[in-house]
Amino acid sequence: MSSPLSSERLAITRAALAHAHLSYARHHPEASPRRQPVHTMYGGAHLFTAQTARKMGRTAVNALREYAPDGHTLAACLGLDEALAERVHARVLSKLEREPVEDFRIDFEDGYGHRSDEEEDGHATTAATEVARGLADGTLPPFVGIRVKALTEELFDRSARTLGLFMGTLLERTGGRLPPGFVVTLPKVSLPQEVTALVRMLELLEADHGLEPGVLKLELMVETPRALFTPDGCLALPTLVEAAHGRCVAAHLGPYDYTASLHITAAQQDLLHPACDFARNVMQVSLAGGDVALSDGPTNVLPVAPHKPGAHPLTEAQREENHQVVHRAWRRMYTNTRHALERGFYQGWDLHPAQLPVRYAAVYAFFLEGLDEASRRLKSFVEQAARATRMGEVFDDAATGQGLLNSFLRGLACGAVTEEEARATGLTLEELRGRSFLRILQGRRPPE
């Protein structure tokens, strides 16, 4: 018996749907295998040297040893389970000694301020020279880049000049080599034409210096309502990303400029403000299914002790006050970081090296807390090859399987999870590095 819905009768419909699927795939590419850093450290361009990351690492280790010398102290400060805190503490210390800074942005914007043209020209040249030295000496973090000034009418020429001087000096000093993970950050973006202008600058720099077209990447700062919605109420971020022509790798929330633009008073400008959660949600919905990483903003309460050692040793009262101030700042940052992680923002900004111990403590605790259960669930699902499974009261399907896999991949990349712990899922490292749960299932499916 012939089907009333034969392929011949549905040919036009099928062709239209195939065209729509191709269009969707172009706008929602499969996630790339590139690693996403868990943080971005920002610092003024006038202060950057080839040794900046290492110096920050030493400061971070000293802060951890002074204010949380063991898992017990860390647990008491952050409210962690003590057994978990012992594991986290050991891994954080190892991370700070091995790779303290994952991503650094050399800042010519808010962290740098407005200076004379002569000063900024000089700092653009010296910062680029230091990046070249760090590349040669192997002292750069895995990701590095610069943040230029916004492309407003007033700042366009200055921003373009800084970018040109920096890139020209860097490529001259390195013989045309770019540092791994290099990116240019565009702040306070509001219009797709601003992104188009930056793309044109990058195209000219690539042509002038013999770089592969498209190799210079950019990221966008979401710091204004216009970065989220157009005046007629449409989502703005997809258009901004599309204007980058495949160069946009990340979108960062700038919470303080954003809340200020909404006329929220300074006392209420906080990462936990509902306005920031709204912005995060819009960013996620706007860019879901694409290959643009999302990043949260910084905690602006810094763990800086009020009393510094001088000619005389600190009194017990002064030492106690130092601990209280640092622990209070650490608890606030831990709360903010966990809030972001639970909402799917796995990267955030850091402003001071003494924040690094808590950045990694929060990320590591997040991934380690449910590690054993996640491992059992993922192993059970893979073993049953594509059939939905239930463990206790938890139902898992293929989408959940990819989510479990993503958790292990992120944990591995930042050092929260060891390779041995990842292999406890029953997956090989090759399967894990493939990053696709569907491909794992297809590879394990018996031949028909």
Side-chain angles (χ1 to χ4, degrees):
M1 180 182 296
S2 62
S3 169
L5 297 178
S6 64
S7 57
E8 291 79 6
R9 296 178 67 191
L10 293 174
I12 295 176
T13 300
R14 184 70 182 86
L17 183 58
H19 177 77
H21 282 154
L22 286 173
S23 177
Y24 182 87
R26 282 196 299 271
H27 290 88
H28 299 83
E30 184 177 345
S32 73
R34 70 172 181 268
R35 169 187 173 188
Q36 181 183 0
V38 302
H39 80 127
T40 300
M41 177 69 74
Y42 280 69
H46 56 300
L47 301 174
F48 182 80
T49 74
Q51 297 298 320
T52 289
R54 289 187 174 180
K55 290 179 181 178
M56 287 185 165
R58 289 193 290 270
T59 300
V61 167
N62 290 339
L64 182 64
R65 288 176 171 160
E66 174 68 24
Y67 300 108
D70 49 43
H72 174 77
T73 309
L74 188 67
C77 174
L78 302 181
L80 298 175
D81 171 79
E82 192 152 330
L84 174 64
E86 291 289 349
R87 295 170 71 192
V88 168
H89 188 277
R91 295 185 191 195
V92 168
L93 180 58
S94 174
K95 175 71 170 181
L96 294 176
E97 292 174 337
R98 182 184 73 258
E99 186 186 75
V101 178
E102 290 195 357
D103 187 19
F104 193 93
R105 204 64 72 248
I106 301 165
D107 196 12
F108 288 93
E109 207 230 356
D110 287 346
Y112 177 75
H114 293 282
R115 300 167 184 265
S116 70
D117 285 339
E118 183 180 7
E119 274 188 294
E120 187 158 340
D121 286 352
H123 290 145
T125 301
T126 56
T129 301
E130 290 297 319
V131 172
R133 182 175 292 118
L135 181 60
D137 296 344
T139 59
L140 294 179
F143 301 85
V144 70
I146 66 169
R147 178 166 71 166
V148 295
K149 289 179 169 60
L151 297 183
T152 62
E153 283 297 307
E154 298 80 9
L155 298 174
F156 180 92
D157 291 336
R158 179 64 265 177
S159 185
R161 181 172 175 82
T162 296
L163 179 60
L165 282 172
F166 181 93
M167 295 305 304
T169 303
L170 173 63
L171 294 167
E172 178 184 341
R173 300 284 193 275
T174 65
R177 290 174 60 210
L178 281 174
F182 184 81
V183 68
V184 179
T185 306
L186 180 61
K188 299 178 176 60
V189 61
S190 296
L191 301 170
Q193 289 84 355
E194 293 167 350
V195 183
T196 301
L198 178 56
V199 168
R200 180 56 179 158
M201 294 179 200
L202 300 180
E203 289 173 342
L204 291 172
L205 288 168
E206 289 166 349
D208 290 348
H209 297 285
L211 298 176
E212 179 185 348
V215 71
L216 292 175
K217 305 301 184 182
L218 63 88
E219 59 188 16
L220 306 176
M221 299 288 300
V222 177
E223 300 177 274
T224 68
R226 285 292 300 274
L228 296 176
F229 292 99
T230 63
D232 59 358
C234 295
L235 289 172
L237 265 178
T239 303
L240 296 175
V241 170
E242 188 174 356
H245 296 295
R247 294 178 186 265
C248 183
V249 296
H252 295 241
L253 175 63
Y256 305 109
D257 283 285
Y258 175 72
T259 50
S261 71
L262 300 177
H263 307 294
I264 296 169
T265 62
Q268 303 302 318
Q269 291 174 9
D270 185 87
L271 282 172
L272 301 184
H273 194 285
C276 291
D277 272 340
F278 175 79
R280 293 185 189 99
N281 292 340
V282 174
M283 290 171 69
Q284 284 179 310
V285 170
S286 298
L287 302 178
D291 195 27
V292 177
L294 299 177
S295 178
D296 200 30
T299 298
N300 62 356
V301 177
L302 304 182
V304 178
H307 304 291
K308 308 295 181 186
H312 303 286
L314 297 180
T315 66
E316 188 61 34
Q318 288 173 326
R319 287 176 58 84
E320 177 61 26
E321 186 180 0
N322 280 355
H323 276 71
Q324 289 177 358
V325 168
V326 170
H327 281 192
R328 186 162 55 244
W330 275 2
R331 282 191 292 272
R332 184 163 183 171
M333 180 173 175
Y334 182 82
T335 298
N336 289 343
T337 306
R338 284 295 303 235
H339 184 82
L341 289 167
E342 290 164 4
R343 283 150 184 79
F345 277 67
Y346 299 103
Q347 182 178 351
W349 298 1
D350 293 322
L351 303 173
H352 192 279
Q355 292 180 313
L356 293 175
V358 178
R359 168 65 61 188
Y360 293 121
V363 172
Y364 288 13
F366 178 78
F367 285 116
L368 287 175
E369 281 173 356
L371 180 66
D372 293 339
E373 180 187 357
S375 180
R376 287 192 298 270
R377 289 169 62 188
L378 186 54
K379 185 176 183 179
S380 172
F381 200 2
V382 171
E383 286 176 348
Q384 299 192 45
R387 291 198 301 272
T389 64
R390 181 174 67 87
M391 290 192 65
E393 298 177 348
V394 179
F395 177 80
D396 288 331
D397 61 10
T400 309
Q402 184 65 51
L404 291 166
L405 177 63
N406 290 343
S407 179
F408 278 94
L409 292 171
R410 291 184 182 277
L412 273 170
C414 69
V417 177
T418 66
E419 289 187 354
E420 182 180 359
E421 288 167 336
R423 286 198 298 268
T425 61
L427 299 178
T428 66
L429 289 179
E430 183 179 356
E431 287 175 323
L432 285 164
R433 290 168 183 148
R435 308 182 70 87
S436 171
F437 187 71
L438 180 59
R439 282 200 291 270
I440 291 171
L441 295 182
Q442 290 172 339
R444 290 187 170 221
R445 187 171 293 145
E448 295 181 359

